[in-house]
Amino acid sequence: MDGSDGRENAPSAKKSGKTSLLDSGEDFEVLDEEDIDEDLPPLEDAGNGNKADNTEKQNVDEESEASEQMDEWLDVLGNDQLKKKVLEAGKGRGSRPQKGQNVKINLKTHLMDGALVEEQHCLSFTLGDGDVLQALDLTVQLMEMGEKALIHTDAKYAYGARGSLDPEVPPNAQLSLEVELLEATDAPDVELMPPSERIALAIRKRERGNVHYQRADYAFAVNSYSIALQITESNSKVDISPEEEKELLDVKVKCLNNMAASQLKLDHYDAALKSCVSALEHQPDNIKALFRMGKVLALQGEYTEAIQSLRKALKLEPSNKTIHAELSKLVKKHSEQRGAEQAMYKKMLGNPSSSSGMPKSRAKSSWGLSWKWLFGATAVAIGGVALSVVIAARN
């Protein structure tokens, strides 16, 4: 996400009354060719005295802008729930870190009443990957190298409605963050990473997804699992042993399983089914994948396939009470659905058994009556034909 610079936005904020992250990018004046002077002024017209005056004036203007910036809060998202103020100016807009870079910061976290939550030195993370609080991911992108900033964030962009046990943060707590940006470097090429480092990186991204899942931030969890999957699936340009390949595959399957669980929470059933199928392609007897696949199929109304998947999982782990309970519930539900369907079909087609229950005597009398009518009709027809023949003969 490209951010706006408080230094450049401070004057415009006064005009519009609102500073937003959308007001990003530098403004350049584009000149037509006819507006460019072909003849440069004589050298003596650009004297050293004027140059010194201009430089001094520029420095004064920059100091004035920096002072204004440090006195103002930047409303990062325009909703007054995430604000940033510069405490010490950095090295300029060009030194801002980019999304995808690895950054290093010093961080002090306080509650709004001033109570210290935790203090972290040289905290490293990949910008934009969801490795840290969303408040940090959004605001560090707006900081300059060496800058110190104060960030006030709503619980929505911090630890949310559930709070945290480590560090200890109460539910729905607003936070005050003191941040100093120390370093920003390009992320290493995953394909060139030693296998052990690559495995460790994938595990860290997956564990971050688990943190998001525990906080019920399921969309962020899916994002972290997706990043971990990309790391496990990247081609390796260095030698990797069979044991390391197996370890990467285990991390991949765990990510797919956890992603399916998150997608289930988001009601993304097709995506969850795809994740389960991918996991089972690598490990056909993976119990978690079979169990979640059964749940997805049941939610999609595919009860027969769902029961088959759960029965296979239960066969692999007969003592698993969770699978047993889910299977029993599903079998009962499937039986009730079949009964309801049969009743509906009978209602649509009528009750064929009612005609078969007719008394035999009544059936016989009906057939006898039918035959009597048939014989009578035949006799009348024959008599009519004979009479016609006689009349024709007389004529």
Side-chain angles (χ1 to χ4, degrees):
M1 182 185 300
D2 293 330
S4 60
D5 188 336
R7 179 177 301 171
E8 291 187 7
N9 280 345
S12 61
K14 289 185 176 182
K15 294 178 182 179
S16 63
K18 183 178 181 181
T19 306
S20 172
L21 188 61
L22 299 177
D23 303 327
S24 60
E26 298 185 38
D27 295 328
F28 296 94
E29 182 179 1
V30 180
L31 300 177
D32 296 331
E33 291 184 2
E34 60 184 10
D35 294 330
I36 301 176
D37 294 330
E38 295 181 359
D39 298 328
L40 296 177
L43 185 60
E44 58 269 18
D45 290 345
N48 290 332
N50 292 336
K51 182 177 181 180
D53 293 341
N54 291 336
T55 302
E56 184 178 353
K57 182 179 179 182
Q58 182 179 356
N59 291 336
V60 172
D61 290 341
E62 289 181 355
E63 291 177 2
S64 177
E65 287 183 7
S67 177
E68 288 183 8
Q69 182 185 19
M70 292 172 64
D71 291 336
E72 288 191 355
W73 283 97
L74 172 67
D75 190 353
V76 177
L77 300 176
N79 59 6
D80 204 37
Q81 294 181 344
L82 181 62
K83 298 184 294 184
K84 169 184 174 289
K85 183 169 73 171
V86 177
L87 299 178
E88 291 184 18
K91 296 181 180 179
R93 184 184 180 88
S95 65
R96 287 184 175 185
Q98 302 297 316
K99 187 176 181 181
Q101 285 188 313
N102 289 340
V103 298
K104 188 179 293 184
I105 65 171
N106 287 334
L107 174 66
K108 288 183 181 179
T109 304
H110 295 84
L111 298 177
M112 297 306 288
D113 62 5
L116 179 65
V117 174
E118 66 175 344
E119 186 172 354
Q120 297 169 281
H121 295 283
C122 297
L123 172 65
S124 299
F125 61 94
T126 304
L127 195 58
D129 274 12
D131 296 341
V132 290
L133 298 179
Q134 193 180 3
L136 288 172
D137 245 345
L138 293 171
T139 53
V140 170
Q141 299 180 51
L142 308 178
M143 295 181 64
E144 302 169 359
M145 198 58 57
E147 177 185 327
K148 291 184 180 179
L150 182 63
I151 298 163
H152 285 178
T153 177
D154 186 77
K156 179 179 180 181
Y157 307 108
Y159 292 99
R162 300 192 177 192
S164 172
L165 295 177
D166 185 21
E168 189 174 351
V169 178
N172 296 308
Q174 297 180 348
L175 297 179
S176 176
L177 312 173
E178 293 181 28
V179 184
E180 180 183 7
L181 180 57
L182 303 174
E183 182 182 293
T185 57
D186 292 336
D189 188 344
V190 176
E191 295 181 351
L192 297 176
M193 291 179 68
S196 58
E197 293 182 12
R198 185 176 164 193
I199 292 168
L201 179 61
I203 290 174
R204 285 201 302 272
K205 299 295 184 182
R206 180 181 65 83
E207 289 175 346
R208 184 61 189 175
N210 294 345
V211 172
H212 288 305
Y213 185 90
Q214 291 166 0
R215 293 180 186 162
D217 294 330
Y218 303 118
F220 286 103
V222 169
N223 181 67
S224 293
Y225 295 139
S226 298
I227 294 171
L229 278 175
Q230 291 174 5
I231 295 170
T232 62
E233 293 171 349
S234 297
N235 295 324
S236 180
K237 295 181 180 178
V238 297
D239 293 335
I240 181 170
S241 67
E243 292 78 11
E244 290 167 333
E245 286 186 347
K246 183 179 181 301
E247 194 170 354
L248 269 175
L249 182 61
D250 288 339
V251 176
K252 179 179 180 178
V253 172
K254 287 179 180 179
C255 289
L256 287 167
N257 273 329
N258 294 354
M259 182 179 287
S262 302
Q263 290 162 336
L264 268 170
K265 293 290 187 179
L266 295 168
D267 296 335
H268 296 168
Y269 301 142
D270 290 339
L273 182 60
K274 185 177 179 181
S275 298
C276 293
V277 170
S278 297
L280 291 170
E281 286 176 353
H282 298 292
Q283 296 179 359
D285 292 337
N286 187 282
I287 295 173
K288 288 184 178 180
L290 287 168
F291 174 72
R292 292 195 175 113
M293 186 174 181
K295 292 193 70 172
V296 174
L297 289 169
L299 290 168
Q300 291 181 322
E302 304 292 341
Y303 293 112
T304 302
E305 293 83 352
I307 290 172
Q308 290 175 354
S309 182
L310 290 175
R311 281 178 175 166
K312 185 175 180 180
L314 190 61
K315 186 177 180 180
L316 292 168
E317 194 172 317
S319 61
N320 192 309
K321 295 180 180 180
T322 303
I323 300 175
H324 191 277
E326 189 70 24
L327 181 59
S328 300
K329 181 176 68 176
L330 186 56
V331 169
K332 181 180 179 182
K333 188 173 182 179
H334 185 38
S335 177
E336 291 174 351
Q337 187 200 40
R338 291 180 63 185
E341 288 177 352
Q342 289 177 356
M344 181 182 68
Y345 290 148
K346 287 181 181 179
K347 186 175 181 181
M348 290 173 60
L349 302 176
N351 191 354
S353 62
S354 60
S355 59
S356 61
M358 184 185 299
K360 293 183 178 180
S361 58
R362 184 177 176 185
K364 289 181 179 180
S365 63
S366 297
W367 278 105
L369 184 62
S370 299
W371 279 108
K372 289 178 182 178
W373 277 103
L374 181 60
F375 284 130
T378 303
V380 170
I382 293 173
V385 171
L387 181 61
S388 299
V389 172
V390 171
I391 293 174
R394 288 181 178 180
N395 291 334

